[in-house]
Amino acid sequence: MAKVKLTIDGREIEAEQGSTVLEAARQAGIDIPTLCYHPAVGPSGACRVCVVEVERAKTLVASCVYPVAEGLVVKTNSARVRNARKTVVELLISTHPQDCLCCDRNGRCELQALANRLGIRTERFRAQKPQREPDASSVSIYRDQNKCVLCGRCVTMCRDIQGVGAISFAYRGQRTLISPSFEHGVGEVECVNCGQCTKVCPVGAIVEKDETGAVWDALDNPGLTVVVQVAPAVRAALGEEFGMAPGTSVTGKLVRALHMLGFDAVFDTQFSADLTIMEEGHEFLSRLKSGGKLPLLTSCSPGWIKYCETFHPEFLDNISTCKSPQQMMGAVIKSYYAKAKGLKPENIFSVSVMPCTAKKYEARRPEMRASGVQDVDAVLTTRELAKMIRMAGIDFANLEDDDFDSPLGESSGAGTIFGVTGGVMEAALRSVYEIVTKKPLADLEFTQVRGFEGVREAEIAMGSTRVKVAIVHGLGNAGRFLAGLRPGDSPYHFVEVMACPGGCIMGGGQPLSLEQDVAEKRASVLYQEDRNKAVRKSHENIAVRRLYDEFLGKPGSELAHKLLHTTYGERARARVEEARRQAVIGAAGA
Amino acid sequence: MPTATCRCGETIVDDRWEKLDEIIEKHRAKQGALIPILHEAQELFGCLSEDVQLKVAHALGISPAEVYGVATFYSFFTLKPRGKHKIAVCLGTACYVRGASELVRALKEELGVEVNGTTKDGRFTLEVVRCLGACGLAPVMMIGDNVYGRVKPEKIPEILKEYQ
């Protein structure tokens, strides 16, 4: 890349041609404030908080979209710049609700931080915006339009990165708002519940649907046995909520904290990840042998499932019938565990802690009642669990380690890596390889399926069979990938799809960070834990074997199907045909 | 083609959806097809209902939210059925100082509707606009494609009679 020289605040700086003034300044350690700009969604130049003075330019320019050029002279901290930024933020605040104390984002709101940074101490303007009812229609996310600053990050994330487009700008001028189609609730349109919008919202306008209240109530109810399961990705990120550096593993502290909160048993979703590999591996091999529908598409990510049901129903037969690890665990808790403990399913309150907002929706799917009642009663995101830990006054960073409870707390390293893109595939390959070749795997680490490229491919020789696999993460990537495939005619045998870019470690329920280096650090936690495990292959998990011996029989058995498998259905995106018919009948009636 | 039977026994045939398909096909290949399609769809149906917008969104492979965004952004588009004749009173500076607000008042009274309202008989919709570009004729209003200049409020009933 060619370099150009420019001067920022009197310092001569070298920057890459094609980069922006904002990027050049930040690289040089000059932090220009921003609001609508987010590294993961790119610049839009909408908010004007990042304005700077460029010599010979007529007006102040938005540094997030202003390209560097040879000889450019930039001032980022002149009185004119400071005044302009301050006025911009004062105007944004003028219609913003003044309820920071009661806001989910209190203390980590970017608007609040900006007001503080720019030294805003009086409310210079106050204007009334027509107030709108918050949108509580989704089981996963909660939108409060009154707090929206119209930065557009959620729109870009949903439309361009996730390829869903459930929300968009509507109206114009003072009436502008961000809205699902026809101002329906976001739970009534084609939102897939991935929650990536909650991670880019700079304020409290889009947050996860809070379930902490229901969990506290259950914990306080002496008539209920309250059990909890924790997904792998949670332990790779929860520490960040307590000031620990990204990449800090907090598995032991997490288990300790859950015991302290009063959960009767703390189980590991990695156990049911191993179980998933048993069932999905069995399904894959039987499809391979009997000429069943290939490629097999993974089914762990409920956002991806809903996306496929909505946008690509032609691939529904390709999706593994296996439930996700959350739902397998839910079904096992209220059947196998309930039986072992002599409990009725309805007296167990089953909680899961997930890096995911779509899991809240998955738990409430009508198919997810294998035990006769809802298998998973409440789903907390990593962020919600952090709230509960703080509320309970637990000094998380200084906790002693603790172990998961048996029998559903034992897991292999294969279950651990489920939390990162490529992990499910790697876990499956470890088991499938050994089952096909009947030989122990020399090198467990399939590094060719690791990494953060949006779509990755690999070919693995298993005896005489060459298995071609692909890994896709981010729904935009998934959409493009599927567009290039035909359901019955594909070079791939097995494809892992995760809704969120980066996989679960970067899920919609995780601590708010979308930076690539954070993704890599969180991934390294899981890969390290895998390396430290005595058992690293799902089919060698003793507790899973015991579950089959004592209860399920073998993978793919009738009981396994009843408890651990599910079905999918096309979701109508268009009500057009039906609406046409009714419109005509309506016209006739009138 | 969707049909239904009226209470009077007559069969009603609605071929507008087929026509919409044709409109979409005509524009589909062009860049920025959405706006001309919405334009003609509104002409065809009288307004852009949810179903029309959904149909256009799916046909073009863009999200319904985005279509709704465009339909609500431009004041030309309307989501609700409008009257047969659109009355647009200019409230630009020149018309305003020459008493356009009196015209609006008289029209409201005569028609029994508020601004952006449609009369019960579906004949008129009252709108206000900013500058029709005929400031020399202020105050100006348009009914459909007809321009009326130097309008006096007391002339309103007479003008409206032309459209009865």
Side-chain angles (χ1 to χ4, degrees):
Chain A
M1 259 299 193
K3 299 265 187 186
V4 297
K5 282 206 179 87
L6 69 158
T7 310
I8 303 183
D9 296 343
R11 277 165 60 193
E12 192 158 281
I13 283 161
E14 229 185 27
E16 265 179 30
Q17 182 110 44
S19 63
T20 63
V21 169
L22 175 70
E23 287 163 339
R26 285 196 173 167
Q27 223 145 47
I30 300 166
D31 185 26
I32 298 173
T34 52
L35 182 62
C36 71
Y37 172 80
H38 190 292
V41 297
S44 71
C47 76
R48 318 312 280 185
V49 166
C50 69
V51 287
V52 294
E53 208 173 334
V54 170
E55 216 173 78
R56 284 198 294 277
K58 260 197 297 192
T59 57
L60 297 178
V61 301
S63 62
C64 70
V65 288
Y66 202 81
V68 295
E70 187 67 40
L72 211 63
V73 179
V74 181
K75 283 189 206 155
T76 75
N77 188 29
S78 64
R80 190 173 163 217
V81 164
R82 284 195 306 271
N83 268 333
R85 283 180 190 156
K86 198 169 168 183
T87 306
V88 165
V89 175
E90 283 175 319
L91 287 169
L92 279 170
I93 293 171
S94 72
T95 53
H96 197 79
Q98 304 285 298
D99 63 349
C100 297
L101 286 175
C102 314
C103 179
D104 188 79
R105 280 297 194 85
N106 186 17
R108 45 184 98 195
C109 166
E110 291 180 38
L111 186 61
Q112 210 177 39
L114 266 179
N116 193 26
R117 175 175 166 178
L118 298 178
I120 297 169
R121 286 291 171 269
T122 51
E123 198 182 55
R124 191 144 64 107
F125 314 110
R126 174 92 317 228
Q128 261 312 312
K129 236 182 1 182
Q131 295 297 292
R132 302 180 74 91
E133 261 313 290
D135 173 7
S137 61
S138 165
V139 296
S140 297
I141 62 175
Y142 180 86
R143 296 171 62 245
D144 186 349
Q145 279 289 308
N146 304 318
K147 292 178 180 168
C148 178
V149 293
L150 300 172
C151 68
R153 287 182 191 178
C154 55
V155 173
T156 311
M157 175 54 85
C158 188
R159 182 192 55 206
D160 298 344
I161 298 180
Q162 293 297 67
V164 172
I167 46 177
S168 185
F169 281 100
Y171 300 96
R172 68 196 294 177
Q174 284 183 309
R175 296 177 66 202
T176 307
L177 55 107
I178 285 169
S179 172
S181 52
F182 319 118
E183 288 162 72
H184 291 319
V186 76
E188 298 154 359
V189 297
E190 62 271 44
C191 166
V192 301
N193 307 52
C194 75
Q196 288 295 321
C197 52
T198 67
K199 290 179 65 186
V200 291
C201 182
V203 295
I206 313 185
V207 297
E208 70 267 44
K209 183 68 84 61
D210 190 298
E211 290 187 60
T212 57
V215 175
W216 285 121
D217 287 349
L219 287 169
D220 288 340
N221 184 338
L224 288 174
T225 300
V226 187
V227 301
V228 63
Q229 57 168 313
V230 193
V234 176
R235 66 206 70 185
L238 180 63
E240 294 167 35
E241 288 276 330
F242 299 95
M244 297 156 99
T248 310
S249 166
V250 295
T251 313
K253 295 182 198 301
L254 164 61
V255 178
R256 171 75 62 189
L258 289 167
H259 279 135
M260 288 170 76
L261 286 173
F263 289 99
D264 296 303
V266 180
F267 294 142
D268 197 343
T269 311
Q270 291 179 185
F271 168 90
S272 49
D274 284 334
L275 188 57
T276 302
I277 291 300
M278 298 304 290
E279 292 296 320
E280 200 163 351
H282 176 265
E283 182 184 8
F284 175 62
L285 289 173
S286 77
R287 285 198 194 200
L288 201 59
K289 259 186 238 153
S290 66
K293 204 126 196 194
L294 290 174
L296 182 66
L297 303 174
T298 59
S299 57
C300 306
S301 168
W304 145 244
I305 295 296
K306 195 174 178 194
Y307 174 84
C308 193
E309 290 180 319
T310 310
F311 297 95
H312 289 282
E314 70 276 18
F315 284 100
L316 288 183
D317 291 341
N318 290 73
I319 297 183
S320 164
T321 59
C322 291
K323 287 181 183 171
S324 72
Q326 164 178 282
Q327 293 306 139
M328 284 203 183
M329 180 63 98
V332 168
I333 285 172
K334 290 201 182 177
S335 57
Y336 173 71
Y337 175 76
K339 198 170 145 195
K341 291 280 165 184
L343 294 165
K344 283 191 194 141
E346 52 270 33
N347 292 336
I348 297 176
F349 192 84
S350 180
V351 179
S352 69
V353 184
M354 294 283 143
C356 183
T357 51
K359 291 280 173 195
K360 290 175 182 283
Y361 142 82
E362 182 187 44
R364 291 167 177 85
R365 286 182 67 123
E367 301 90 1
M368 301 302 171
R369 302 170 71 90
S371 59
V373 292
Q374 191 173 308
D375 292 331
V376 175
D377 295 289
V379 179
L380 301 173
T381 61
T382 309
R383 299 191 293 262
E384 286 170 274
L385 175 62
K387 273 192 253 179
M388 291 184 70
I389 293 172
R390 279 193 289 268
M391 213 185 279
I394 294 169
D395 178 11
F396 187 79
N398 294 312
L399 287 181
E400 295 285 320
D401 284 354
D402 199 353
D403 289 325
F404 284 103
D405 295 312
S406 64
L408 309 177
E410 275 176 57
S411 65
S412 78
T416 308
I417 56 174
F418 258 59
V420 56
T421 167
V424 175
M425 183 56 71
E426 183 168 344
L429 289 173
R430 288 180 190 177
S431 288
V432 168
Y433 182 93
E434 295 204 346
I435 294 164
V436 170
T437 63
K438 300 191 174 64
K439 274 188 264 179
L441 202 50
D443 184 4
L444 284 178
E445 298 188 0
F446 288 85
T447 49
Q448 63 271 48
V449 304
R450 296 186 180 183
F452 288 97
E453 278 288 302
V455 179
R456 306 187 293 283
E457 303 180 7
E459 212 171 286
I460 286 103
M462 297 191 184
S464 58
T465 322
R466 296 189 73 79
V467 175
K468 190 153 187 208
V469 303
I471 292 96
V472 188
H473 58 123
L475 291 173
N477 291 327
R480 283 184 288 275
F481 180 82
L482 292 181
L485 277 190
R486 265 170 304 169
D489 171 32
S490 138
Y492 305 103
H493 297 102
F494 199 0
V495 180
E496 176 199 299
V497 190
M498 292 292 158
C500 293
C504 309
I505 50 169
M506 300 304 277
Q510 289 284 67
L512 307 170
S513 177
L514 290 163
E515 277 74 23
Q516 188 54 38
D517 65 314
V518 172
E520 280 159 21
K521 284 174 184 154
R522 289 178 184 170
S524 74
V525 170
L526 299 184
Y527 286 130
Q528 190 55 48
E529 292 215 352
D530 166 37
R531 250 171 263 133
N532 294 345
K533 286 263 188 182
V535 176
R536 297 181 66 188
K537 291 171 265 185
S538 298
H539 59 285
E540 291 178 358
N541 180 335
I542 303 288
V544 168
R545 283 190 180 181
R546 203 180 310 127
L547 173 66
Y548 279 108
D549 291 345
E550 291 176 3
F551 188 63
L552 292 171
K554 52 184 196 323
S557 71
E558 204 183 312
L559 185 57
H561 261 279
K562 180 174 170 270
L563 294 175
L564 309 180
H565 290 253
T566 186
T567 54
Y568 312 107
E570 182 172 352
R571 277 168 200 280
R573 214 166 24 128
R575 300 183 304 274
V576 174
E577 292 304 321
E578 175 64 8
R580 266 188 206 189
R581 210 175 46 76
Q582 286 182 351
V584 173
I585 291 167
Chain B
M1 208 170 284
T3 56
T5 309
C6 180
R7 267 179 282 178
C8 70
E10 194 187 332
T11 303
I12 300 171
V13 178
D14 184 359
D15 64 350
R16 292 176 302 172
W17 294 96
E18 280 67 23
K19 287 194 178 137
L20 180 58
D21 284 334
E22 288 164 23
I23 291 168
I24 292 167
E25 281 318 308
K26 189 172 69 182
H27 294 286
R28 157 194 297 291
K30 282 181 241 161
Q31 220 189 345
L34 178 60
I35 289 174
I37 290 173
L38 290 180
H39 212 118
E40 290 189 36
Q42 179 165 305
E43 230 163 79
L44 180 64
F45 286 90
C47 68
L48 297 173
S49 65
E50 270 188 34
D51 304 319
V52 169
Q53 292 179 62
L54 274 174
K55 165 89 188 164
V56 172
H58 295 144
L60 294 181
I62 52 184
S63 80
E66 213 166 324
V67 173
Y68 184 71
V70 171
T72 55
F73 184 90
Y74 294 102
S75 56
F76 172 81
F77 294 128
T78 176
L79 308 182
K80 284 191 224 121
R82 280 200 252 200
K84 193 170 166 206
H85 305 290
K86 188 177 100 175
I87 305 175
V89 182
C90 180
L91 284 186
T93 312
C95 293
Y96 193 83
V97 297
R98 295 196 54 127
S101 55
E102 278 305 300
L103 281 189
V104 175
R105 193 192 49 76
L107 281 160
K108 280 198 217 169
E109 218 163 77
E110 190 63 28
L111 299 170
V113 296
E114 289 300 307
V115 171
N116 289 327
T118 300
T119 55
K120 281 207 186 78
D121 61 5
R123 196 169 286 275
F124 295 106
T125 297
L126 177 61
E127 288 179 9
V128 294
V129 293
R130 307 290 150 178
C131 196
L132 290 165
C135 308
L137 297 174
V140 180
M141 71 174 198
M142 287 180 78
I143 302 182
D145 292 331
N146 302 328
V147 180
Y148 296 83
R150 301 213 174 94
V151 187
K152 293 196 168 63
E154 54 272 24
K155 292 276 181 198
I156 294 286
E158 201 178 308
I159 296 172
L160 292 181
K161 264 198 196 115
E162 297 170 34
Y163 298 89
Q164 291 303 321

